[in-house]
Amino acid sequence: MVNNDSKQVDRIFTYAIPKELLEKIDLGFRVKVPFGKGNRMVYGFVVEFYDVIDASIKKIKYIKSMCDDFPVLREKDLKLITIMREKYLCTYIECIKTILPNGMFKGISNKVKNVIRTGENLKDRFCKEPYVLIYNIVKKNEGKFNKNELSKKFSVSMSSINTMIKHGFLEQGKLIVNRYNERQYKAYEEKILNDDQKKAVDMILNCKKNISLIHGITGSGKTEIYMNLVSIMLQQGKDSIILVPEIALTPQMVERFKGRFGKDITVFHSKLSLGEKYDEWLRVKNGKVKVAIGARSAIFLPFENLGLIVIDEEHETSYKSESDPKYMAKEIAILKSHIENCKVVLGTATPCIETYYEAMRDEVELITMNKRADGASLPKIEVVDMREELMNNNRSIFSRKLFSSIKEKIAKKEQVILFLNRRGFSTFVSCRKCGYVFKCSNCDIALTYHSEGDYLSCHYCGNKQKALRVCPSCGSKYVKYFGIGTEKVEREIKKYFPKVNTLRMDFDTTRKKDSYENIYNKFKNGEADILIGTQMVAKGLDFSNVTLVGVIAADLSLNLPDFKSAERTFQLITQVSGRAGRGKKKGEVVVQTYNPDNYSIKCAASNDYDDFYKKEITIRRDMNYPPFSNIFCINMSSENENLLIKNIQNVAINLKKIISKNDKIELLGPCPCVISKIKNNYRWQIILKGDINNKYARKIKKLVYEIVKYDYNSIRISMDINPINML
């Protein structure tokens, strides 16, 4: 396989091995090879060996050199790559680039620093000052500093240092600089498991299926179960991977795991630099660490003796990749379980419908935990009908109940979390005279107003423009900001509670590398009274002094044009509600909605997952949605709308011919996507729903590319089986 993104070269190429490499090269090695008519040097990966050259190959090329002194891919990885390519309709190189650290393709390797060490013992005229002083300093700080650092830090002569190097009393050497976190954490003592936790650990260890689902309410002690399992794996000499859905949760998990097991735990997520990722990957590759904590991509870390994969909050959509290969972390974990014979534990208070359906069919071991670990009760959830608030002339974003509860908790020195799944100040800006809506010039999406900086922003392409006070369509000054975002919630809180300290956790406040951890630590340490955030605050976070959670607008996720909207609403309300009352103080939750009778909101308010599941699975069965079918989404985009429409209509005509004899597959479309334009590209889609397996999907992919081949450079094609959203 060669490092070339073109789908036309997505195959295995044959190269000869030069004699000098015969004894060194093996499966999984990265090599440099001449490729194409111009023999341009590219990376290649050794995936197969042949004793006899195929007779059809006339002029075989030779491998030029090896890039590393170790194989970057294991045989287990090669098996996984082959399966992923078929399952996710992607190329070999897309799989390889997903498994290996990005820096490896951009020239990143070990960071090396020149350092000074002691050489021969001092003698003759060198036994005098300043040579003795310099020699002793270097001896005390062996291999820590280079010449410049030594001279500046200890105020010693550079000339004397150079003289000592010249005569061999000091030597210059190389030091590999570690680019990973070696910070020490406060000890996190092991807790005695309660009966439910002990039972869960036993069931997981003795599960013949190797796949377990812990359906445990918020605060039921799932993290302590994970840590107990990791401890058992370490005793058995096995490795563990712990996945969390958001980087925001990583600091909390790292704090606990490193506090329990020491510093030698790798942390792997997208906020790391290319160098940091490479070093963490290499630590795993070299067997220096036995445990990894991270977001989705950590699932591919090359542990040699993998015994356990934990996917915390398994229902989260962030476990699905939006770029090729469009993998789901849970599916990769199950594949690795078959390849590497390891345990997989899925944990959540709100399992995704498909996972729970598998548990009901006994395909996954189900472990139910209905009590909080410390005996605390679940918070009381009160649903407020915002229609009644309007009838009572309350036009504030806070209901009377939520406002009074915030006031009460602040007076008691307790903390509050306010959740709104939309960032910015206003969700759209419109002219009240002519109805003009300020939209992005590149995308079919309304611009969001941000008060900090006074600008309008597109949350899809990132386009920004200065906020206007005059309508560009009719020239009127009746420009109004509609809807609310996290910025507006923060401003309203400061207006009503000027002495209260607030923190905001959303995409805008967490762009910098350590911002998640800084916000987490400040709130944990009581430096803020109210945390306002998007879905980042809805999962996993554990603050003992939070006694009130306010859900500002529960309808935002409910009104999305997606068959999973009810499920996501139930999950979000249940998860964010679980942040309240996790300490000794009782918690309460206020859910504001214009749709209080919806079953997802009513079930979340009563914390009744089983009732929600029964209602939702009935709808899914009646509508033939997953888990009763697969959805295959074909998305095509282009700057040339006419060319796009012509091609996608042609695809649809040919697909109808293929599925006309198959009454188990339904074709919907072609039609514009809900968001019909992003970054100046028009977007159309076709949706196939029904009994679609991997083989059938690859047949469809081949057909689509065959039809579009003459316009391939002008049209972007994306295909996904069971996409997270179809907007």
Side-chain angles (χ1 to χ4, degrees), residues 381-624:
I381 302 176
E382 183 171 339
V383 177
V384 176
D385 188 343
M386 294 302 284
R387 296 171 300 182
E388 292 184 6
E389 294 294 310
L390 282 173
M391 289 172 65
N392 286 289
N393 207 31
N394 176 17
R395 300 186 182 279
S396 163
I397 62 174
F398 304 120
S399 63
R400 290 164 297 173
K401 171 61 182 173
L402 181 56
F403 186 87
S404 63
S405 294
I406 294 171
K407 191 174 181 181
E408 177 192 335
K409 302 306 178 187
I410 296 302
K412 290 181 178 180
K413 306 289 184 187
E414 295 170 357
Q415 290 176 300
V416 177
I417 290 178
L418 297 178
F419 167 72
L420 176 67
N421 205 21
R422 184 171 278 161
R423 60 192 172 99
F425 187 85
S426 293
T427 52
F428 71 99
V429 183
S430 176
C431 173
R432 286 184 291 175
K433 184 177 181 182
C434 71
Y436 175 84
V437 175
F438 289 69
K439 286 192 173 185
C440 176
S441 58
N442 303 324
C443 312
D444 180 32
I445 194 77
L447 294 169
T448 300
Y449 175 64
H450 291 258
S451 62
E452 292 181 14
D454 191 34
Y455 66 91
L456 298 172
S457 171
C458 173
H459 288 175
Y460 281 83
C461 73
N463 182 36
K464 292 181 182 179
Q465 64 183 62
K466 193 70 179 172
L468 299 175
R469 303 290 182 253
V470 176
C471 174
S473 178
C474 70
S476 88
K477 295 182 179 179
Y478 297 107
V479 173
K480 183 171 174 60
Y481 302 97
F482 293 88
I484 56 172
T486 47
E487 273 186 47
K488 188 168 185 177
V489 174
E490 187 176 35
R491 179 175 287 190
E492 291 293 293
I493 283 290
K494 288 179 178 177
K495 182 173 83 173
Y496 294 118
F497 304 97
K499 294 181 180 180
V500 163
N501 292 320
T502 62
L503 285 169
R504 204 172 85 238
M505 185 183 278
D506 56 27
F507 182 79
D508 299 307
T509 62
T510 55
R511 292 174 190 267
K512 293 181 180 178
K513 184 177 178 181
D514 298 320
S515 51
Y516 290 94
E517 188 169 2
N518 292 337
I519 294 170
Y520 163 74
N521 284 327
K522 282 181 180 179
F523 196 63
K524 178 191 169 190
N525 296 332
E527 295 176 38
D529 307 290
I530 299 177
L531 175 63
I532 301 158
T534 55
Q535 60 180 3
M536 296 176 189
V537 304
K539 44 203 131 170
L541 295 174
D542 190 348
F543 301 111
S544 60
N545 197 37
V546 171
T547 56
L548 172 65
V549 167
V551 180
I552 303 297
D555 308 305
L556 286 180
S557 54
L558 191 60
N559 293 326
L560 290 174
D562 192 319
F563 76 91
K564 282 180 171 280
S565 60
E567 179 184 8
R568 289 193 185 130
T569 301
F570 174 85
Q571 289 167 343
L572 279 170
I573 294 173
T574 304
Q575 289 290 338
V576 77
S577 298
R579 303 313 110 211
R582 295 178 75 93
K584 295 179 180 178
K585 302 169 186 174
K586 285 190 174 181
E588 70 171 292
V589 180
V590 177
V591 178
Q592 299 184 164
T593 176
Y594 289 93
N595 204 348
D597 295 323
N598 183 275
Y599 68 96
S600 64
I601 292 175
K602 291 176 79 171
C603 290
S606 59
N607 198 45
D608 193 341
Y609 178 85
D610 288 338
D611 190 36
F612 171 76
Y613 173 78
K614 288 173 185 175
K615 289 180 169 64
E616 183 68 13
I617 203 71
T618 300
I619 294 171
R620 300 277 185 98
R621 185 182 286 109
D622 292 344
M623 299 298 293
N624 195 30

Side-chain angles (χ1 to χ4, degrees), residues 661-676:
K661 299 175 183 178
N662 190 337
D663 60 357
K664 293 184 178 180
I665 297 177
E666 180 182 1
L667 186 147
L668 306 172
C671 63
C673 299
V674 175
I675 301 172
S676 62

Side-chain angles (χ1 to χ4, degrees), residues 114-346:
N114 290 317
V115 293
I116 300 294
R117 298 187 175 94
T118 54
E120 296 178 17
N121 291 327
L122 294 177
K123 56 187 177 183
D124 302 331
R125 64 187 177 87
F126 289 96
C127 290
K128 300 176 183 179
E129 295 287 354
Y131 301 118
V132 173
L133 173 65
I134 294 172
Y135 190 87
N136 289 335
I137 288 172
V138 174
K139 192 172 184 179
K140 189 176 180 180
N141 298 279
E142 197 79 49
K144 288 185 180 179
F145 304 107
N146 61 30
K147 289 194 300 182
N148 290 331
E149 292 169 341
L150 200 66
S151 177
K152 289 179 181 178
K153 186 173 180 66
F154 299 100
S155 301
V156 294
S157 165
M158 178 66 78
S159 175
S160 297
I161 293 171
N162 286 331
T163 301
M164 293 176 74
I165 291 171
K166 180 180 176 181
H167 289 85
F169 302 119
L170 295 180
E171 296 175 348
Q172 291 194 87
K174 302 286 186 184
L175 176 71
I176 294 176
V177 180
N178 296 327
R179 292 169 290 197
Y180 46 79
N181 181 7
E182 294 185 286
R183 175 180 156 194
Q184 299 281 351
Y185 287 81
K186 182 181 175 182
Y188 189 76
E189 298 299 326
E190 187 171 353
K191 298 178 182 179
I192 298 172
L193 300 185
N194 61 31
D195 290 342
D196 285 348
Q197 290 171 319
K198 287 177 185 175
K199 183 181 177 183
V201 170
D202 288 341
M203 288 178 72
I204 290 165
L205 293 175
N206 297 314
C207 172
K208 292 180 181 179
K209 304 181 189 71
N210 268 357
I211 318 294
S212 304
L213 168 65
I214 303 177
H215 178 205
I217 63 169
T218 55
S220 57
K222 295 185 287 294
T223 302
E224 200 61 39
I225 292 172
Y226 306 154
M227 297 177 101
N228 196 276
L229 289 168
V230 168
S231 182
I232 291 168
M233 292 299 151
L234 288 171
Q235 290 168 21
Q236 296 176 359
K238 293 182 179 180
D239 310 318
S240 302
I241 296 173
I242 315 297
L243 297 189
V244 292
E246 291 277 0
I247 300 170
L249 300 185
T250 310
Q252 180 175 284
M253 277 289 195
V254 171
E255 182 180 82
R256 292 180 175 182
F257 273 79
K258 287 199 173 185
R260 176 76 56 85
F261 301 111
K263 66 179 182 179
D264 290 330
I265 292 177
T266 186
V267 180
F268 202 84
H269 54 70
S270 62
K271 287 290 182 179
L272 298 181
S273 69
L274 292 179
E276 286 170 328
K277 276 187 176 181
Y278 179 84
D279 283 4
E280 293 286 12
W281 177 86
L282 199 60
R283 280 212 297 166
V284 174
K285 184 76 175 172
N286 292 335
K288 298 288 180 65
V289 290
K290 304 288 287 180
V291 182
I293 300 169
R296 183 179 66 221
S297 58
I299 191 74
F300 298 108
L301 286 170
F303 284 107
E304 201 52 54
N305 192 17
L306 190 60
L308 174 70
I309 299 173
V310 171
I311 302 183
D312 192 32
E313 311 294 3
E314 70 86 28
H315 63 280
E316 282 295 335
T317 57
S318 55
Y319 284 128
K320 169 86 171 182
S321 170
E322 294 292 322
S323 58
D324 290 327
K326 296 182 178 70
Y327 69 90
M328 177 68 84
K330 181 182 80 171
E331 294 171 349
I332 298 297
I334 293 170
L335 289 173
K336 286 176 80 79
S337 174
H338 296 318
I339 294 170
E340 306 194 34
N341 192 31
C342 63
K343 298 285 184 183
V344 174
V345 177
L346 313 170

